[in-house]
Amino acid sequence: QSALTQPASVSGSPGQSITISCTGTSSDVGGYNYVSWYQQHPGKAPKLMIYDVSNRPSGVSNRFSGSKSGNTASLTISGLQAEDEADYYCSSYTSSSTPYVFGTGTKVTVL
Amino acid sequence: QLQLQESGPGLVKPSETLSLTCTVSGGSISSSSYYWGWIRQPPGKGLEWIGSIYYSGSTYYNPSLKSRVTISVDTSKNQFSLKLSSVTAADTAVYYCARHLPAAAGTSWFDPWGQGTLVTVSS
């Protein structure tokens, strides 16, 4: 099972909105609504930001939203803030022999 | 508030066995529906799911590591453990433990995560 495909980097200015894509196949992203997103600051553990495609855990800012179309899931960060600068990883359940797979990761830079 | 903490040697020799323990505090490892997972991240690279265990001892592993991985649980100590045998330099990574809600529960995520521990494989 290959990793899900994410852009290596995305950047935006404070206050802008950015979207990070996560592309898989019909065996993972496209086949199930079990896509989650994680934020990781340098030297820190990942933090759950979105689960089941579009649900936000308690305590996560509503500036973070998730969606899915076909085999591609997306994480949108609106009103970009300096504290949003981090690495972001998607994850999905898969019907392959490896039931859980992560994305390649995207570095978000706030200009 | 649930917290997880990894512990174990930071340096392992090639061909030996890597052993880590995750201690769960602020909640019971015997909570129904939740699994407990291990995920690793080589330096500068992405995340890789290693495997997960239920408090009953039921496990499932990443097939790419299955022949070398054993995950066990000790409910009396509220801990679960990872053993990875025959390690090589490619196993050098930060190892994280996390609470895992698997897809079979109708939802799926890893949360919270431990702070992670760097394990270096070197002679």
Side-chain angles (χ1 to χ4, degrees), chain B residues 27-90:
Chain B
S28 174
I29 202 169
S30 301
S31 298
S32 63
S33 298
Y34 294 115
Y35 275 65
W36 305 89
W38 288 98
I39 302 104
R40 70 179 182 178
Q41 184 174 36
K45 296 187 178 181
L47 300 165
E48 179 182 34
W49 173 74
I50 299 171
S52 299
I53 189 166
Y54 195 56
Y55 75 89
S56 64
S58 174
T59 55
Y60 56 122
Y61 302 128
N62 186 325
S64 68
L65 299 168
K66 186 175 183 178
S67 63
R68 299 193 291 129
V69 171
T70 301
I71 299 177
S72 58
V73 64
D74 186 336
T75 55
S76 67
K77 295 182 179 178
N78 230 30
Q79 296 176 333
F80 62 108
S81 299
L82 169 70
K83 290 188 185 298
L84 181 65
S85 64
S86 304
V87 297
T88 69

